[in-house]
């Protein structure tokens, strides 16, 4: 209700001066109410009671009476327990909603554009993409869409794990298997298996381990045959990642791939610059940076950021430092966002600290780790497939679509053929994404098919169903949806009022969601809007309204509701079906 505060504040300042209260005294006190439907805005008067030497109850009563005439048509005032409560006037809500009819952004204002790199998804070559990568992909994609909506320039970067020592053993294993047999196995269906086989050989067979080590040297020396084999692994893997991205309908594509290998030429620069800045120290043959301060281990010894290992190899951190140089100097970005699981919290804190101290970025740049929790099964364990291996994402998504298809067969047997396939996909994929996005990302979440595919509660199918229901109203309506742009909205009932309040609050909820990078806040708002719509739909006849004005007014509310849902879902990367 920031718009209501904005509209009321100057009028409040005017009318309280005669009580001896200045703008300064009161401006910080006016804020959103926390008492639910009774009020939208509240002014706690406890600090004012000291100035006026009266009890908070008396002060709040006095203020309430003083401001009421000024706020006519804007807000209804009352006082309770030392608080002045303001509730949006139905007339103000009606005007506000009317103003949104022609606004494609539903009240959201664009920010001054910043250049923002969003690092997300980032699976590892020759390994199965796990549910953590699913979370990063889904949350990252929603954040990208929301930032674009706010008017920013967004650069997506998929920092895949495609470089480093494991590639020695992976390439040697590929040679042992023979490229043909590898490709015919289409590796991907058992990539985890492939990785494990290579690992076992590396651990148990000295000759193989030796070959693997020499292969790493060849790879780092950019030996052309080695690079070609490396590329085979990368291509098969990215082909598989793309399969997942296509199913998920995320924005990521091949052009966004900027794997660790992309920064390999910058790794010596990182070492050089850290040495020049005096930060690099030698420790047991390795080159490290000690940050000091809070970065100590349990025994109190300083905890190093290893830049270059004793064997000359570089670390994950070195790659991320090179990556910061690239993003700041080549891309000239203002902001760096990393959508990566909570276990990497310390990694990012340390990398950001090293980068700032070494001047790779400065106060003009913000770097944020957007962390997230794990995906758990119903027993509270990390989600695994029945065989105990990590879940294959393609299988998981296919299963969701199948389950959605079954649910539709039950709910709407009339829907068949291509339409049904299309809608099952929207629901199946939407359910998985929404289940992830609607829980606070910093918490773990329980993967529960029945809950995520339910048509009740805070789920994608519920929201999609509300949208389809409104589309159906329009298909039966004598008034075309387009013509509603200039229609007049009037609010008579409590149900209309609650719905209008949700519509008006969309922009504010969206802003809160993106500024904190917490997509669940947007989910909560779309869900509240859908629930308000369900109550409105029960109580207020639309096509059978008493007269045409009321019908048009209610249809206009329907239009806005559908747009809050479809725009909201689109910002989360979820589609809204016209029927289901
Ligand atoms: N590939 C890494 C993993 O699977 C995630 C990379 C995240 N991005 C980054 N710039 N470190 O854990």
């Amino acid at each position: 209700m920031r718009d209501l505060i904005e509209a009321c504040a100057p009028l409040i300042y005017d009318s309280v001066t005669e009580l001896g209260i200045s703008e300064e005294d009161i401006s910080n006190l006016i804020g959103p109410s926390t008492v639910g439907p009774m009020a939208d805005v509240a002014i706690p008067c406890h600090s004012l009671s000291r100035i006026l030497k009266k009890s908070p109850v008396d002060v709040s009563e006095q203020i309430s009476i003083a401001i009421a005439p000024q706020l006519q048509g804007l807000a209804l005032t009352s006082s309770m327990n030392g608080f002045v409560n303001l509730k949006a006037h139905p007339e103000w809500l009606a005007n506000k909603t009317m103003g949104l009819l022609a606004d494609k952004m539903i009240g959201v204002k664009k920010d001054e554009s910043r250049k923002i790199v969003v690092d997300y998804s980032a699976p590892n070559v020759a390994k199965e993409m796990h549910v953590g990568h699913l979370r990063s992909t889904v949350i990252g994609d929603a954040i990208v869409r929301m930032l674009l909506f706010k008017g920013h320039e967004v650069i997506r970067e998929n920092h895949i794990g495609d470089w480093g020592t494991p590639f020695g053993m992976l390439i040697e294993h590929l040679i042992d298997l023979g490229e043909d047999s590898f490709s015919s196995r289409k590796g991907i269906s058992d990539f985890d298996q492939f990785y494990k086989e290579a690992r076992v050989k590396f651990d148990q067979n000295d000759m193989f381990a030796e070959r693997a080590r020499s292969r790493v040297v060849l790879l780092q020396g950019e030996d052309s045959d080695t690079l070609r084999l490396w590329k085979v692994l990368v291509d098969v893997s990215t082909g598989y990642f793309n399969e997942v991205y296509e199913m998920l309908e995320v924005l990521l594509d091949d052009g966004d791939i900027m794997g660790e290998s992309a920064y390999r030429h910058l790794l010596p620069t990182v070492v050089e610059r850290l040495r020049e800045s005096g930060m690099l120290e030698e420790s047991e043959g390795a080159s490290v940076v000690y940050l000091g301060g809070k970065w100590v281990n349990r025994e109190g010894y300083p905890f190093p950021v290893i830049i270059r290992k004793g064997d000359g190899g570089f670390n994950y951190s070195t790659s991320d430092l090179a990556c910061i140089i690239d993003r700041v100097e080549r891309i000239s970005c203002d902001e760096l966002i990393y959508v990566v699981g909570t276990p990497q919290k310390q990694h990012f804190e340390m990398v950001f600290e090293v980068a700032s101290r070494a001047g790779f970025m400065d106060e003009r740049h913000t770097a944020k780790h957007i962390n997230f929790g794990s995906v758990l099964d119903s027993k509270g364990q990390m989600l695994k497939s029945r065989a105990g291996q990590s879940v294959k994402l393609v299988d998981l998504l296919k299963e969701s679509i199948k389950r959605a298809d079954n649910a539709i067969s039950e709910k709407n047997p009339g829907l068949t053929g291509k339409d049904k396939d299309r809608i099952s996909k929207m629901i199946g994929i939407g359910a998985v994404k929404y289940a992830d996005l609607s829980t606070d990302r910093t918490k773990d979440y329980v993967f529960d098919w029945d809950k995520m595919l339910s048509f009740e509660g805070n789920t994608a199918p519920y929201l999609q169903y509300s949208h389809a229901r409104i589309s159906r109203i329009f298909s039966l309506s004598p008034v075309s949806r387009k013509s509603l742009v200039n229609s007049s909205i009037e609010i008579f009932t409590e149900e209309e009022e609650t719905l209008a309040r949700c519509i008006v609050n969309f922009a504010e909820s969206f802003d809160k969601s993106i500024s904190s990078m917490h997509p669940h806040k947007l989910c909560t708002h779309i869900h509240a809007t859908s629930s308000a719509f369900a109550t409105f739909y029960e109580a207020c006849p639309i096509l059978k309204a008493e007269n045409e004005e009321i019908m048009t007014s209610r249809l206009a509310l329907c239009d806005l509701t559908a747009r809050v849902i479809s725009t909201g879902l689109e910002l989360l990367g979820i589609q809204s079906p016209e029927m289901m």
Side-chain angles (χ1 to χ4, degrees):
M1 280 285 146
R2 59 182 180 199
D3 291 357
L4 187 64
I5 297 180
E6 207 172 283
C8 295
L11 302 168
I12 296 176
Y13 304 153
D14 266 0
S15 31
V16 295
T17 38
E18 65 193 49
L19 303 176
I21 303 170
S22 70
E23 176 176 338
E24 235 173 37
D25 297 331
I26 201 169
S27 62
N28 287 332
L29 302 175
I30 310 176
S33 155
T34 48
V35 293
M38 275 160 50
D40 294 306
V41 176
I43 313 173
C45 299
H46 309 83
S47 62
L48 299 175
S49 91
R50 251 174 280 133
I51 303 175
L52 299 185
K53 310 226 167 13
K54 282 186 188 151
S55 76
V57 171
D58 287 346
V59 176
S60 64
E61 255 166 39
Q62 234 187 330
I63 294 179
S64 170
I65 293 166
I67 64 180
Q70 300 287 333
L71 300 186
Q72 244 180 35
L74 269 180
L76 303 159
T77 65
S78 60
S79 66
M80 208 168 92
N81 302 336
F83 283 84
V84 177
N85 288 326
L86 307 184
K87 192 172 168 163
H89 195 286
E91 211 176 288
W92 181 82
L93 283 171
N95 283 331
K96 268 279 163 196
T97 40
M98 266 187 313
L100 296 176
L101 280 168
D103 179 2
K104 282 209 169 62
M105 308 274 297
I106 328 177
V108 175
K109 300 273 176 297
K110 292 202 189 243
D111 271 348
E112 196 183 316
S113 176
R114 295 195 300 275
K115 203 173 201 181
I116 305 176
V117 173
V118 184
D119 179 319
Y120 69 112
S121 192
N124 299 313
V125 163
K127 275 195 186 166
E128 179 61 39
M129 241 175 133
H130 56 68
V131 279
H133 298 123
L134 174 72
R135 286 209 85 178
S136 173
T137 309
V138 169
I139 297 169
D141 203 62
I143 288 176
V144 168
R145 289 170 195 263
M146 290 162 87
L147 289 172
L148 288 170
F149 196 65
K150 257 329 242 181
H152 298 295
E153 185 183 343
V154 181
I155 292 116
R156 301 183 298 262
E157 289 209 339
N158 193 353
H159 192 95
I160 59 172
D162 63 353
W163 201 248
T165 38
F167 283 89
M169 71 177 193
L170 293 169
I171 293 171
E172 285 304 321
H173 187 42
L174 172 61
I175 294 173
D176 286 355
L177 287 181
E179 271 177 71
D180 290 346
S181 102
F182 173 75
S183 310
S184 68
R185 230 166 72 154
K186 252 299 171 234
I188 47 176
S189 60
D190 42 20
F191 237 155
D192 263 1
Q193 191 56 28
F194 177 82
Y195 197 97
K196 276 183 202 136
E197 285 164 13
R199 180 93 247 168
V200 168
K201 273 175 41 188
F202 185 83
D203 291 338
Q204 298 180 353
N205 180 333
D206 287 345
M207 257 169 51
F208 180 84
E210 203 35 57
R211 273 167 56 202
R213 277 192 276 270
S214 317
R215 186 59 72 178
V216 175
V217 176
L218 284 172
L219 183 66
Q220 278 163 353
E222 316 250 334
D223 165 65
S224 63
D225 206 39
T226 305
L227 277 180
R228 191 186 60 76
L229 291 164
W230 166 77
K231 190 84 173 46
V232 171
L233 293 173
V234 173
D235 287 349
V236 176
S237 295
T238 47
Y240 172 69
F241 303 155
N242 281 335
E243 207 182 314
V244 175
Y245 298 151
E246 264 160 45
M247 284 188 86
L248 278 174
E249 287 175 357
V250 288
L251 303 166
L252 284 173
D253 60 29
D254 279 342
D256 302 320
I257 290 183
M258 270 302 271
E260 291 178 35
S261 69
Y263 305 100
R264 61 186 192 262
H265 308 300
L266 265 176
L267 299 174
T269 309
V270 173
V271 176
E272 238 166 75
R273 292 205 196 171
L274 290 174
R275 184 159 288 135
E276 274 166 23
S277 68
M279 290 169 69
L280 209 61
E281 293 179 41
E282 298 306 316
S283 167
E284 296 170 35
S287 306
V288 305
V289 172
Y290 287 110
L291 287 167
K294 67 172 184 173
W295 283 285
V296 288
N297 66 13
R298 250 183 254 146
E299 286 79 40
Y301 289 113
F303 199 63
V305 180
I306 299 173
I307 303 296
R308 185 164 208 167
K309 293 182 276 189
D311 65 6
F314 296 100
N315 246 358
Y316 182 53
S317 303
T318 324
S319 216
D320 262 323
L321 286 166
C323 178
I324 292 178
I325 294 181
D326 185 67
R327 288 173 187 175
V328 167
E329 295 178 14
R330 182 181 60 87
I331 299 181
S332 322
C333 72
D334 304 303
E335 231 170 274
L336 301 90
I337 287 170
Y338 297 80
V339 187
V340 187
T342 305
Q344 294 192 32
K345 187 168 184 283
Q346 192 183 46
H347 162 76
F348 284 110
E349 276 181 9
M350 294 181 96
V351 164
F352 296 163
E353 185 64 27
V354 173
S356 312
R357 286 196 203 172
F360 297 174
M361 54 181 184
D362 56 41
E363 59 296 336
R364 284 166 302 174
H365 308 104
T366 10
K368 286 188 203 139
H369 174 208
I370 302 301
N371 64 320
F372 54 79
S374 316
V375 186
L376 306 177
D377 63 18
S378 53
K379 295 192 193 80
Q381 308 278 313
M382 295 286 234
L383 191 72
K384 295 258 164 65
S385 71
R386 265 183 225 107
Q389 278 147 350
S390 62
V391 179
K392 289 207 187 320
L393 292 192
V394 169
D395 294 347
L396 182 114
L397 297 174
K398 280 187 185 149
E399 166 137 17
S400 190
I401 296 172
K402 202 177 90 208
R403 285 177 186 249
D405 191 79
N406 293 342
I408 296 178
S409 305
E410 218 171 86
K411 215 170 160 71
N412 183 1
L415 191 58
T416 53
K418 280 217 169 67
D419 277 340
K420 187 183 185 201
D421 292 346
R422 191 171 53 84
I423 289 166
S424 305
K425 194 168 173 229
M426 286 187 199
I427 297 175
I429 299 296
V432 171
K433 285 186 169 183
Y434 193 84
D436 189 324
L437 294 167
S438 57
T439 29
D440 181 336
R441 61 173 163 75
T442 60
K443 307 238 160 74
D444 294 345
Y445 93 89
V446 176
F447 196 92
D448 178 343
W449 287 120
D450 292 335
K451 195 169 149 215
M452 71 175 73
L453 282 157
S454 164
F455 285 73
E456 299 296 329
N458 189 9
T459 67
Y462 174 70
L463 304 178
Q464 289 170 318
Y465 185 70
S466 311
H467 183 265
R469 196 184 222 179
I470 299 175
S471 302
R472 173 147 175 85
I473 298 172
F474 280 110
S475 73
L476 301 170
S477 157
V479 181
S480 86
R481 195 168 165 185
K482 276 208 191 88
S483 70
L484 293 168
V485 183
N486 301 314
S487 59
S488 137
I489 293 178
E490 282 186 81
I491 289 170
F492 298 110
T493 68
E494 214 174 288
E495 293 81 6
E496 290 167 317
E497 190 181 319
T498 308
L499 181 59
R501 178 175 277 105
C502 285
I503 294 166
V504 169
N505 278 339
F506 171 75
E508 189 173 348
S509 298
F510 170 79
D511 282 351
K512 282 191 182 141
S513 185
I514 187 59
S515 62
S516 61
M517 307 234 165
H518 273 303
H520 78 276
K521 295 186 182 168
L522 177 60
C523 296
T524 306
H525 187 81
I526 323 171
H527 177 242
T529 310
S530 289
S531 305
F533 178 77
T535 315
F536 158 83
Y537 185 76
E538 284 290 309
C540 307
I542 302 168
L543 298 176
K544 292 205 174 84
E546 301 147 52
N547 59 48
E548 212 178 304
E549 280 80 58
I550 297 185
M551 177 177 76
T552 317
S553 166
R554 290 186 179 160
L555 281 170
L557 287 176
C558 286
D559 170 68
L560 285 165
T561 307
R563 280 168 47 209
V564 165
I565 299 174
S566 64
T567 308
L569 287 178
E570 198 181 307
L571 290 166
L572 300 167
I574 299 171
Q575 299 204 50
S576 303
E578 256 56 62
M579 58 181 165
M580 66 190 261

